[in-house]
Amino acid sequence: MKVNKEIKRPVFVIGHKNPDTDSICAAITYAKLKNAITGDEYIAGRAGHLNEETQFVLSHFGVQVPVYIKDVRTKVRDMEIRMLEGIGADLSLKRAWAEMRDAEVVTLCVTENDEVSGIITTNDIVETYMDVIDPEILSLAKTSYQNIVETLDGELIVGDIGDILDKGKVVIAAASPEMMENLIEEGDVVILGNRYETQLCAIEMNAGCIIVCEGADVAKTIRNQAREHGTKIITTPHDTFVVARLINQSMPINYVMKKDNVVCFHMDDYIEDIQEVMASMRHRYFPVLDKNEHYVGMISRRNFLGAKKKQLILVDHNEKNQAVNGADSADI
């Protein structure tokens, strides 16, 4: 999973409230000087609206008006945002777990067209894996055969890997072919070994897919029969026990992720306003959005410890009540 580089933070050069011309010019010139000397980013700001004289001066000399800064309290954008890419809702539970493990996080954001559609946590995956015993769970979750093949480290040798499993249950063919006729229904996914009779029985019962374990070869006649009956064949190097253990991990995270009332924060939210909300939630990581509601990254409660104050240079005043709102919480 891609982790983007940390965004470099600027220093704001700002004068007093109700700025006059010398306050505005001081901010503009000092920011430009610091940029030229250091090569870092210094931004001229203003803590109030311009008067007519200052507007005339800036317009006459073709100088850009400094950015208006109403408050310099610490915002979400000043925290250490974990720039993790969003994942697709069709990703398998196994892949999502691997992404979390590699990124060392317990939550991932699910996105569509850069907008958050849900979140998935390690608890969601564990609860699904431990509690769900419904043999039809894969079809209920509309699991893709692509996910099943990847989860089982297998290969689809008959059928279209782009199809979706939308009916049937998972069956382990541990009984004789005669008994299997009473267990297998149309559309079922049947886990079996290299016994020709069992494979043929599953196909003749119109199984949706047979999974042949331990890398066993599949006879040409079995492949032909599968094509005629519309049965897919997947081969996997794993044994029956491992396949039965892994296969539910192929379901898409869309089936278990949290979709409703997902708590998101915005880059310009003040951190003192979101602390109480974060403390009341069960999960630890929260999506961060930009002004266009597009996903940016994630923050956690732990990030409050490393929240970086706004960096300021104050010009043309030396009294606290003249300074921009929130200056007490800034790094001057």
Side-chain angles (χ1 to χ4, degrees), residues 85-96 108-120 141-144 147 164 249-259:
E85 288 186 338
I87 59 174
D90 56 350
L91 199 72
S92 69
L93 297 184
K94 184 181 180 184
R95 282 279 305 281
L108 290 176
C109 291
V110 184
T111 59
E112 183 177 357
N113 297 325
D114 291 329
E115 295 184 355
V116 173
S117 56
I119 60 172
I120 181 81
K142 300 295 186 288
T143 304
S144 70
N147 277 5
I164 301 296
Q249 296 180 30
S250 65
M251 79 174 70
I253 59 175
N254 178 62
Y255 191 72
V256 300
M257 71 185 192
K258 177 179 174 58
K259 305 174 188 176

Side-chain angles (χ1 to χ4, degrees), residues 1 10 12 14 21 26 30 89 104 107 123 144 146 149-150 159 164 177 206 236 241 250 264-265 319 325 327:
M1 172 172 283
F12 293 95
I14 190 167
T21 302
Y30 198 59
E104 297 181 342
T107 306
N123 283 344
S144 70
Q146 178 73 50
V149 170
E150 288 182 356
I164 301 296
N206 293 315
T236 172
F241 171 78
S250 65
C264 299
F265 300 119
E319 294 183 13
N325 292 336

Side-chain angles (χ1 to χ4, degrees), residues 125-326:
I125 296 176
V126 170
E127 288 175 6
T128 301
Y129 187 64
M130 296 299 293
D131 295 342
V132 175
I133 56 175
D134 185 350
E136 295 187 13
I137 188 67
L138 294 186
S139 58
L140 292 173
K142 300 295 186 288
T143 304
S144 70
Y145 279 97
Q146 178 73 50
N147 277 5
I148 296 174
V149 170
E150 288 182 356
T151 300
L152 301 181
D153 302 312
E155 179 184 1
L156 185 74
I157 62 173
V158 174
D160 186 353
I161 200 167
D163 288 347
I164 301 296
L165 176 62
D166 56 8
K167 70 174 182 178
K169 61 186 181 297
V170 176
V171 179
I172 300 176
S176 65
E178 293 76 18
M179 293 187 63
M180 292 304 300
E181 291 180 358
N182 298 320
L183 298 177
I184 299 174
E185 299 175 337
E186 183 178 351
D188 285 351
V189 175
V190 184
I191 304 171
L192 38 70
N194 63 350
R195 292 182 60 186
Y196 182 94
E197 297 82 0
T198 306
Q199 296 172 4
L200 186 59
C201 174
I203 292 171
E204 290 179 343
M205 296 301 295
N206 293 315
C209 175
I210 63 172
I211 300 174
V212 181
C213 300
E214 298 187 82
D217 291 332
V218 179
K220 186 175 180 180
T221 53
I222 291 293
R223 299 188 190 207
N224 291 335
Q225 285 292 317
R227 292 187 185 97
E228 289 181 11
H229 286 77
T231 301
K232 294 176 175 61
I233 301 179
I234 296 173
T235 61
T236 172
H238 302 301
D239 61 29
T240 305
F241 171 78
V242 173
V243 170
R245 176 173 167 268
L246 287 177
I247 194 166
N248 276 4
Q249 296 180 30
S250 65
M251 79 174 70
I253 59 175
N254 178 62
Y255 191 72
V256 300
M257 71 185 192
K258 177 179 174 58
K259 305 174 188 176
D260 300 324
N261 302 317
V262 176
V263 176
C264 299
F265 300 119
H266 291 80
M267 294 284 278
D268 287 324
D269 287 342
Y270 296 111
I271 65 172
E272 62 189 54
D273 296 335
I274 70 172
Q275 283 179 303
E276 187 174 339
V277 177
M278 293 182 76
S280 66
M281 303 302 292
R282 184 168 63 98
H283 51 274
R284 286 189 282 169
Y285 284 87
F286 299 83
V288 176
L289 312 179
D290 64 16
K291 62 182 180 180
N292 297 316
E293 303 297 318
H294 291 164
Y295 171 70
V296 176
M298 294 191 301
I299 56 173
S300 70
R301 291 189 287 267
R302 185 177 62 183
N303 294 132
F304 280 105
L305 301 175
K308 298 176 181 178
K309 299 178 179 180
K310 283 278 197 315
Q311 298 182 97
L312 299 182
I313 293 177
L314 303 180
V315 295
D316 197 42
H317 69 288
N318 58 7
E319 294 183 13
K320 180 179 177 180
N321 61 0
Q322 292 181 319
V324 63
N325 292 336

